[in-house]
Amino acid sequence: MAIGVLSALLVSGLAGIIAIKITYFYLVIPVILWRAPFDARDRDHLVSILMGTTAVTAVVGLAQQVIGGERLAELGYRWDEHLRISGGILRSFSTFTTPFAFGLFVMIGLIVGCSVSFADPHRLRNKLFLCATPIMVLGMGVTIVRASYIGLAVALLWLAVHRYRALFLGFGAAAALAPLVLFAVPSSILAPLFSSSSLGERGDGWSQTLSSLWVHPFGQGLGAADTVAQSNPMLSELSYTASVQFGFMPYQPDNYYMKLAVELGPIGVWLFVLVLVCAAVSTLRASRVLSGQDAALALGVSGTIVAAAVASTVATYLEIFPLDVYFWLLLGTVGCALTQHWSPRRSSLTASGSAPSHSDRPAVESRPTSASC
């Protein structure tokens, strides 16, 4: 964050505050949770809200398929802004602005919801969620966002390796049924899923990005592309594609690692990778220390981190709302659970006369607030 803020101010001056806000604003969420931590009831409510909103948005996305693009256009949605077609299929966006935010949000809800539900499948809420899983998967499917498919598969594999071994049976069944599904599904639906044109275009852009690192080995500064866009009045009359082709605006890679490479150089990419690794490892360790729903939640959050790391290769993940919100919110929530887990143990050690170590800082007590839900 220090490197990004400094580079934004050096490159853009006060205008760099916009880039700083876009990249780092939601880091305020863990700070809020540190000051007013979620207790067990708050965490349970958060999981319920995430499960419910995931199911509702999936139903809305499927309803858009029934309504159709032409009718949605009559209602005020715009083609190429809200409405997109891929291989003759309308890409549902549900209550979001783009299919990417919708698909990746459902991915997060499925990962966390499945992890918690598998830990206590007899609870009514969890039963309803598991029963609604096919609807949510289908809703995510009609977004045609391959990053969400790959992220969900990798996260479920992560859950299977670390706790829920029964998921391996699901992977085996999916592998056995895949040929039959591919044979039965019309080619018009499979074509956009396996098309290599999009990946080819991205690959060309990524190669240009890598070549630019020789000119700017330490990056061009956070928000450098936005500064270029604002300084060219012609961009308001040109499409994004035309602006890139005519050289008025640098190519924005659909890859968060590449974007960081452009703005902060290899050092920025390395620091971001460290954040992902530390987050995934810390939440995984928390799942082994905690118990009950908190352990399942921590494991699910670690799965979302792994999914985010994978999805970031084909999407600017942490610049898509509300993915950035949930990234930091879920991490902070696990931090609350872990802190409260250790608080009674530290208190008992102190009461028994054992001298606390220098690393035993006073734990923040859980206190519900009016905005705790």
Side-chain angles (χ1 to χ4, degrees):
M1 181 177 179
I3 293 175
V5 170
L6 181 62
S7 68
L9 295 178
L10 289 176
V11 171
S12 307
L14 291 179
I17 294 176
I18 297 176
I20 294 171
K21 185 195 77 167
I22 293 173
T23 307
Y24 300 120
F25 177 76
Y26 291 110
L27 277 167
V28 72
I29 294 178
V31 177
I32 294 172
L33 291 174
W34 172 56
R35 296 295 301 158
F38 280 1
D39 59 18
R41 184 181 62 179
D42 297 327
R43 294 191 291 273
D44 187 63
H45 287 169
L46 175 62
V47 172
S48 298
I49 291 170
L50 184 57
M51 286 180 172
T53 51
T54 302
V56 170
T57 53
V59 171
V60 174
L62 293 174
Q64 289 174 341
Q65 295 291 321
V66 177
I67 297 172
E70 297 299 331
R71 177 56 180 159
L72 290 172
E74 293 176 1
L75 294 175
Y77 296 101
R78 298 180 180 179
W79 290 102
D80 296 329
E81 183 178 348
H82 307 105
L83 304 176
R84 294 176 172 87
I85 297 292
S86 180
I89 303 174
L90 174 68
R91 303 181 67 176
S92 293
F93 54 92
S94 187
T95 59
F96 300 84
T97 55
T98 66
F100 309 100
F102 173 36
L104 291 169
F105 170 76
V106 175
M107 177 194 75
I108 293 174
L110 281 169
I111 296 169
V112 174
C114 285
S115 181
V116 173
S117 298
F118 291 155
D120 185 10
H122 300 294
R123 183 176 174 179
L124 178 59
R125 180 199 66 181
N126 298 343
K127 284 182 179 179
L128 294 175
F129 180 84
L130 292 175
C131 291
T133 297
I135 296 175
M136 290 180 279
V137 172
L138 186 58
M140 186 182 71
V142 294
T143 63
I144 319 297
V145 177
R146 285 172 286 189
S148 64
Y149 309 158
I150 300 172
L152 178 62
V154 172
L156 291 179
L157 182 61
W158 178 268
L159 299 183
V161 169
H162 292 288
R163 179 164 300 181
Y164 304 115
R165 299 291 193 273
L167 284 173
F168 283 119
L169 298 177
F171 279 102
L177 293 175
L180 298 177
V181 174
L182 294 177
F183 180 78
V185 174
S187 58
S188 59
I189 297 179
L190 295 177
L193 297 178
F194 296 98
S195 174
S196 60
S197 59
S198 176
L199 184 60
E201 293 174 0
R202 292 179 179 181
D204 293 338
W206 296 344
S207 63
Q208 296 174 13
T209 299
L210 291 175
S211 63
S212 69
L213 295 181
W214 295 103
V215 182
H216 303 281
F218 297 103
Q220 302 177 38
L222 198 71
D226 296 330
T227 302
V228 173
Q230 294 172 3
S231 63
N232 285 275
M234 291 184 64
L235 292 180
S236 59
E237 302 177 4
L238 291 172
S239 67
Y240 171 74
T241 303
S243 301
V244 173
Q245 292 177 347
F246 284 107
F248 294 115
M249 186 174 181
Y251 171 76
Q252 293 293 312
D254 294 326
N255 181 315
Y256 199 69
Y257 303 101
M258 289 291 176
K259 183 181 184 300
L260 286 178
V262 171
E263 295 186 341
L264 301 181
I267 295 177
V269 176
W270 172 243
L271 291 174
F272 175 62
V273 170
L274 286 181
V275 169
L276 293 176
V277 172
C278 290
V281 172
S282 298
T283 49
L284 179 62
R285 287 180 175 177
S287 71
R288 296 169 178 171
V289 171
L290 299 170
S291 60
Q293 178 176 284
D294 283 337
L297 174 60
L299 182 61
V301 172
S302 69
T304 65
I305 301 300
V306 174
V310 173
S312 292
T313 60
V314 289
T316 51
Y317 188 89
L318 288 182
E319 289 190 356
I320 302 175
F321 182 85
L323 310 180
D324 45 3
V325 177
Y326 277 97
F327 183 89
W328 297 112
L329 174 61
L330 292 173
L331 277 178
T333 302
V334 174
C336 294
L338 197 60
T339 301
Q340 292 160 20
H341 170 80
W342 287 114
S343 296
R345 180 172 297 184
R346 289 173 177 169
S347 300
S348 62
L349 287 175
T350 305
S352 63
S354 301
S357 66
H358 294 292
S359 62
D360 290 338
R361 299 178 180 177
V364 180
E365 295 182 357
S366 172
R367 52 186 183 278
T369 65
S370 59
S372 61
C373 291

